[in-house]
Amino acid sequence: MPGISELRLQNLILDMDDDGIATVTLNRAAKRNALNAETIEELISVFSALPAAGARAAILRAEGPHFCAGLDLVEHGQEQRSPAEFMRICLRWHEAFNKIEYGGVPVIAALKGAVVGGGLELASSVHIRVMDETTYFGLPEGQRGLFTGGGATIRVPRLIGQARMVDMMLTGRLYAGDEAVQVGLAQYRVKDSGAKAREIALRVAQNTPLSNFAICSAISHMQNMSGLDAAYAEAMVAGIVNTQEAAKDRLDSFSRGTAQKIKPQGAGA
Ligand code: 1HE
């Protein structure tokens, strides 16, 4: 697998800073960051490489005023794909978004403008979604004579429930503002989603990498298991994570009474 310095990217920009925060930028603003086949392949390459590159967290952001306009409808129309060809395309989308969701590196999306169709499928694969005042969410597939193919049927109901998703697809209903947070499409709504995503990434990067790995892969895997199997897997993951060497200092510091307490900011002793 190529390292991050060997990746040749046309549609994404990848930057890794000294804090171990990777920034992945969708860089097709002229096409509203619509997802063509090449961009999907680049997402697979980048998110495959990040864990081995030692990324402690990643920010997924976009150039231009819109996060992502979904499937590249122009490419799709021109290619005249057969059912089997488009099925293969969808499997590559799943590969890309599974790398994000299951890769073990916390991914925080800085959202703005349109997060629609495949753009919402992409956004729903990250671990923390931050929206700004311009952000809106939609699933216009019904209006376009299409159906979701990038995992929305699995991920979007987890966020907002099946009934809301079906409503969005049938009626073209958009969610924005406070309502989008209330229904679960974003966890944070702020003026500057990029700045907030960075603040969150830096905070998340303070956790031990093994805890983050478990949080950002095990929980997703467990949603696919029976309750009994998930409980067993949870015990195994906890067996590994909760006995890790890297946590010893943190536990010692708690025993000595020097660890930060878990209280709301500004609360008294
Ligand atoms: C595109 C795309 C695209 C823009 N594919 N080229 N997604 C949609 O149904 C959303 C389609 N896009 C829009 O509704 C609007 O473009 C936006 C609301 C996102 C932005 O509007 P605006 O006025 O800022 O930009 P624009 O003038 O519409 O577009 C600027 C350029 O981007 C223009 O290209 P140009 O060469 O004429 O300058 C557009 O053609 C291009 N562009 N969106 C291709 N999506 C795995 S299945 C997933 C199924 C889906 O994702 S369905 C949802 C598809």
Side-chain angles (χ1 to χ4, degrees):
M1 194 198 307
I4 54 171
S5 58
E6 294 157 68
L7 297 175
R8 297 284 162 263
L9 304 169
Q10 301 294 324
N11 305 285
L12 303 178
I13 303 169
L14 172 60
D15 174 68
M16 180 87 105
D17 71 13
D18 294 340
D19 297 306
I21 311 294
T23 300
V24 182
T25 301
L26 303 174
N27 192 30
R28 287 189 87 212
K31 299 295 177 192
R32 305 307 184 253
N33 299 310
L35 297 171
N36 58 0
E38 197 177 57
T39 304
I40 293 294
E41 293 305 317
E42 292 185 12
L43 285 168
I44 295 171
S45 302
V46 165
F47 283 97
S48 299
L50 287 186
R56 296 186 66 105
I59 296 165
L60 179 62
R61 62 174 297 279
E63 282 299 310
H66 296 284
F67 177 73
C68 179
L71 175 69
D72 189 320
L73 297 171
V74 176
E75 179 185 76
H76 183 62
Q78 285 168 350
E79 295 274 315
Q80 307 220 348
R81 293 162 171 146
S82 69
E85 282 166 348
F86 194 65
M87 186 178 168
R88 277 197 290 274
I89 292 277
C90 291
L91 293 176
R92 299 305 282 165
W93 282 51
H94 294 170
E95 179 78 7
F97 299 170
N98 287 344
K99 291 282 179 218
I100 295 173
E101 181 179 348
Y102 293 86
V105 174
V107 183
I108 298 113
L111 304 175
K112 55 184 165 178
V115 183
V116 300
L120 178 52
E121 298 189 292
L122 171 59
S124 63
S125 70
V126 312
H127 305 101
I128 299 181
R129 278 160 294 280
V130 183
M131 63 183 283
D132 70 6
E133 308 297 333
T134 68
T135 308
Y136 61 94
F137 301 88
L139 289 171
E141 279 82 352
Q143 291 147 274
R144 300 277 187 226
L146 302 171
F147 190 69
T148 56
T153 53
I154 299 121
R155 293 191 178 94
V156 175
R158 278 188 196 155
L159 296 179
I160 64 174
Q162 180 178 338
R164 286 196 185 96
M165 180 187 178
V166 170
D167 179 22
M168 288 174 84
M169 288 187 73
L170 285 177
T171 67
R173 179 174 182 168
L174 301 176
Y175 282 99
D178 262 348
E179 196 183 18
V181 176
Q182 279 155 17
V183 300
L185 286 163
Q187 291 103 312
Y188 298 88
R189 176 172 164 242
V190 292
K191 266 215 162 66
D192 184 343
S193 55
K196 183 70 179 176
R198 175 145 189 91
E199 178 196 316
I200 293 170
L202 285 168
R203 173 186 286 229
V204 162
Q206 307 296 312
N207 300 339
T208 67
L210 195 58
S211 289
N212 281 345
F213 179 75
I215 294 165
C216 296
S217 70
I219 295 173
S220 289
H221 277 291
M222 284 158 189
Q223 305 314 301
N224 303 322
M225 298 177 191
S226 71
L228 201 62
D229 290 337
Y232 187 73
E234 184 189 65
M236 274 182 57
V237 173
I240 296 165
V241 176
N242 297 9
T243 56
Q244 63 172 317
E245 192 63 32
K248 291 234 157 74
D249 285 353
R250 294 171 191 238
L251 296 175
D252 288 349
S253 134
F254 182 78
S255 303
R256 288 195 306 274
T258 54
Q260 199 185 2
K261 297 198 178 187
I262 311 299
K263 287 183 174 177
Q265 270 186 353

